[in-house]
Amino acid sequence: MLTMAETKLAKKAPKLNKIGKKKWTRDDTELTILAIPTTIWFALFVYLPMFGIIISFKDYHLFEGMGFMGSLFKSDWVGFANFEYFFGLRDFPMILRNTILYNLVFIVLDIVLPVALAMVISNLYSKKLSKLFQTLMFMPHFMSWVVVSYFVYAFLVADKGLLNSVIRALGGQNINWYMEPKVWPYVLVFMHVWKTLGYNMVVYLASITGIDSSLYEAAVLDGASKTQQAVYVTLPSLKPIIIMMFILAVGHIFSSDFGLFYQVTQGANQPLTPVVATLDVKVFQMLNSSAVSLGQTSAASMFQAVVGCITILAANAVVRKFDKSSALI
């Protein structure tokens, strides 16, 4: 015999048809209506513009009296010639190296530092102090790289920069930091961590607050220290979100933060170019160059998109092989 509560649950359960599939319910209709605006937005602003990738395979030029679409269809088809031009650039290996190496460093730091910081803040006894630290660390995330670049310039400018003022006060000589390529990898890594640490920390901190407190209570009863609780309770509980953030980060390994590498370095000009030039900066420079066609620039951008998609699918496949429940797809 079913109890009254079980009877009510049975009535609320989705009804199945003869072949075992769920019938369309009112909830399905409501959720579909809610999803329609988002679907339209993605169709118009994400998928429809993807038609423009055809430019990568054409020698695109604007023809008099024709708009974008007319010129696109009239332009000559060149196949993979635009890609051959991009891959044949003399600085292509250097740009690819910089992009990958910087992103590998960013991936490691964006996992290790935010996770460690989130665990530290979650163990603070003062909730007001915890909220204060979270707010202070989260604020740089909202600052534009244009604004940040002026702060960096104020610190590093040769004649009146704060850093050079300190060096002169200690008896040293001015250093033109924008002519010293060897220091800029450290500057860029520091600025990236400074700007993104707070946001990533909040993501992991939110996951920590969702961990069942009974797990920590059981660990305390077993005599576990704070370090042991972090290792055997917190980290295993954070594993799904860490893997998800890792997969998403791997998808951007062939991209870079344009504002960081272009704005902060004041244009990524010589002699900094060999250590700060990345794919995003190169695409922007190609776009502004009259000697490079729009098709060649589009080919460079399409290369980023395709390889990024492949890397994120590959990372997901590897994760899925070892831990199916943590994979995104």
Side-chain angles (χ1 to χ4, degrees):
M1 296 293 291
L2 293 175
T3 64
M4 185 178 294
E6 291 173 337
T7 304
K8 290 182 179 180
L9 289 174
K11 290 181 179 179
K12 291 183 178 180
K15 295 181 179 180
L16 302 179
N17 57 22
K18 293 181 179 179
I19 59 176
K21 293 183 179 180
K22 293 181 180 179
K23 288 185 177 181
W24 189 268
T25 65
R26 181 178 178 179
D27 289 341
D28 295 324
T29 303
E30 293 175 351
L31 293 172
T32 302
I33 294 174
L34 288 173
I36 286 175
T38 303
T39 304
I40 294 174
W41 186 91
F42 270 93
L44 292 178
F45 298 104
V46 177
Y47 292 102
L48 185 60
M50 289 177 67
F51 175 76
I53 63 175
I54 196 175
I55 298 176
S56 304
F57 303 95
K58 289 205 166 195
D59 183 18
Y60 181 79
H61 293 285
L62 283 173
F63 292 91
E64 186 177 355
M66 292 186 176
F68 169 77
M69 294 300 294
S71 300
L72 179 61
F73 288 110
K74 191 173 181 180
S75 297
D76 295 331
W77 183 272
V78 296
F80 290 96
N82 291 329
F83 293 91
E84 293 174 359
Y85 166 82
F86 177 61
F87 296 147
L89 290 174
R90 184 178 60 182
D91 55 353
F92 176 76
M94 175 196 70
I95 293 171
L96 192 63
R97 178 205 64 193
N98 289 347
T99 304
I100 294 176
L101 290 181
Y102 276 119
N103 278 296
L104 288 176
V105 175
F106 293 163
I107 288 173
V108 174
L109 295 180
D110 287 347
I111 292 177
V112 175
L113 296 182
V115 169
L117 191 59
M119 289 192 294
V120 170
I121 290 182
S122 66
N123 283 288
L124 289 177
Y125 291 106
S126 174
K127 296 301 179 183
K128 290 184 179 179
L129 197 59
S130 174
K131 295 295 183 183
L132 176 62
F133 288 155
Q134 292 178 49
T135 303
L136 293 176
M137 294 176 187
F138 197 64
M139 285 179 62
H141 173 73
F142 297 101
M143 296 183 67
S144 167
W145 279 120
V146 177
V147 176
V148 174
S149 67
Y150 282 103
F151 285 113
V152 176
Y153 184 77
F155 273 87
L156 301 182
V157 65
D159 52 353
K160 298 180 180 179
L162 180 59
L163 191 55
N164 276 326
S165 298
V166 174
I167 293 175
R168 288 197 304 270
L170 296 175
Q173 299 294 324
N174 282 350
I175 299 175
N176 189 350
W177 298 104
Y178 289 94
M179 300 293 288
E180 296 289 339
K182 61 183 179 181
V183 304
W184 276 93
Y186 303 100
V187 174
L188 294 174
V189 171
F190 174 81
M191 294 308 303
H192 170 83
V193 172
W194 173 81
K195 197 171 189 300
T196 61
L197 180 60
Y199 176 82
N200 292 329
M201 181 268 297
V202 169
V203 172
Y204 293 115
L205 189 60
S207 300
I208 290 176
T209 57
I211 299 174
D212 190 354
S213 60
S214 63
L215 297 176
Y216 291 102
E217 293 171 0
V220 171
L221 292 175
D222 289 338
S225 64
K226 287 292 184 181
T227 303
Q228 291 172 324
Q229 291 176 41
V231 173
Y232 296 106
V233 178
T234 306
L235 285 178
S237 300
L238 288 178
K239 179 183 174 183
I241 187 66
I242 291 175
I243 292 177
M244 184 191 73
M245 297 291 283
F246 170 76
I247 294 174
L248 293 176
V250 169
H252 292 281
I253 199 169
F254 285 91
S255 302
S256 60
D257 194 331
F258 174 76
L260 172 63
F261 288 94
Y262 187 81
Q263 295 290 347
V264 174
T265 61
Q266 301 295 316
N269 298 316
Q270 292 288 353
L272 302 184
T273 301
V275 296
V276 303
T278 59
L279 284 172
D280 291 81
V281 173
K282 186 61 179 180
V283 170
F284 178 77
Q285 292 173 340
M286 291 172 65
L287 189 62
N288 285 339
S289 174
S290 58
V292 181
S293 69
L294 186 60
Q296 293 166 341
T297 306
S298 178
S301 183
M302 184 179 174
F303 165 76
Q304 280 187 281
V306 172
V307 177
C309 181
I310 293 173
T311 53
I312 196 171
L313 291 176
N316 183 81
V318 172
V319 171
R320 188 178 181 85
K321 183 176 181 181
F322 294 97
D323 188 0
K324 188 176 182 180
S325 61
S326 298
L328 290 177
I329 304 172

